Amino acid sequence: MSVSNFISQVVGGGVVGGFLGSLVIRRLDTNSKRDLLDKEVKGALKLIDYELTICITTVSIFLEKKCKSKPGPIRDEAYRSVQKLLATELGNSDMMKLAAIYESLPVFKENMEDLYNTGKMVKSYIDSLDFFLTKLREGQKLVKTLTSL
């Protein structure tokens, strides 16, 4: 083997080896970023699960007490804080289901406050709160399913 052949093999092998090595490192870096993003999404979903638990408990207690106890918190801060992340990472259908639940929170919160303030058991409001409670539970079930993926 001549010196020029040896040099061309070493240089050629180094270029190819370096190129392949950079591809491997890039792939590992991409996987690492994806893993981190998956953890962020799961963390966001856990926050929403906790928030939905609070809402479910609040509505349930309010209905059990026949609307005579001051309504507890109906919150959406956790959802609002992770909404952009979830909008980019969840499927459109799942995101729309969560958004629909959270967009209706102010209406149901107002219904609860009206029931409490008037002291009257208005059937349409009670029915709407029962419906809302079902939607909250469906949302929580969706969040638990997404978290387990």
Side-chain angles (χ1 to χ4, degrees), residues 41 45 85-95 98 146:
V41 170
L45 290 168
L85 171 67
L86 296 179
T88 58
E89 295 301 315
L90 294 183
N92 193 42
S93 173
D94 293 334
M95 188 59 204
L98 284 176
L146 292 170

Side-chain angles (χ1 to χ4, degrees), residues 53-117:
T53 298
I54 292 171
C55 291
I56 289 167
T57 302
T58 297
V59 175
S60 296
I61 289 171
F62 185 74
L63 289 172
E64 285 172 16
K65 302 267 185 181
K66 306 248 187 264
C67 311
K68 301 226 186 290
S69 64
K70 186 168 176 67
I74 299 286
R75 303 200 186 282
D76 66 353
E77 291 88 0
Y79 171 75
R80 300 287 175 217
S81 72
V82 297
Q83 188 176 13
K84 184 177 178 182
L85 171 67
L86 296 179
T88 58
E89 295 301 315
L90 294 183
N92 193 42
S93 173
D94 293 334
M95 188 59 204
M96 294 304 289
K97 288 175 188 172
L98 284 176
I101 291 167
Y102 274 95
E103 291 306 314
S104 63
L105 282 179
V107 172
F108 293 105
K109 184 176 183 179
E110 187 175 315
N111 285 355
M112 289 171 64
E113 289 169 359
D114 287 348
L115 284 167
Y116 175 72
N117 291 332

Side-chain angles (χ1 to χ4, degrees), residues 12-78:
V15 170
V16 171
F19 176 72
L20 291 176
S22 69
L23 286 178
V24 168
I25 289 171
R26 184 174 178 195
R27 176 69 178 213
L28 290 172
D29 186 47
T30 301
N31 289 346
S32 176
K33 287 178 183 175
R34 182 76 238 169
D35 289 344
L36 181 59
L37 186 58
D38 288 345
K39 286 179 183 176
E40 287 178 16
V41 170
K42 285 187 181 199
L45 290 168
K46 287 178 181 179
L47 281 173
I48 291 174
D49 181 34
Y50 175 72
E51 189 168 68
L52 288 172
T53 298
I54 292 171
C55 291
I56 289 167
T57 302
T58 297
V59 175
S60 296
I61 289 171
F62 185 74
L63 289 172
E64 285 172 16
K65 302 267 185 181
K66 306 248 187 264
C67 311
K68 301 226 186 290
S69 64
K70 186 168 176 67
I74 299 286
R75 303 200 186 282
D76 66 353
E77 291 88 0

Side-chain angles (χ1 to χ4, degrees), residues 115 120-130:
L115 284 167
K120 296 179 183 175
M121 297 289 289
V122 180
K123 182 169 176 16
S124 62
Y125 280 22
I126 300 295
D127 290 345
S128 74
L129 288 175
D130 281 332

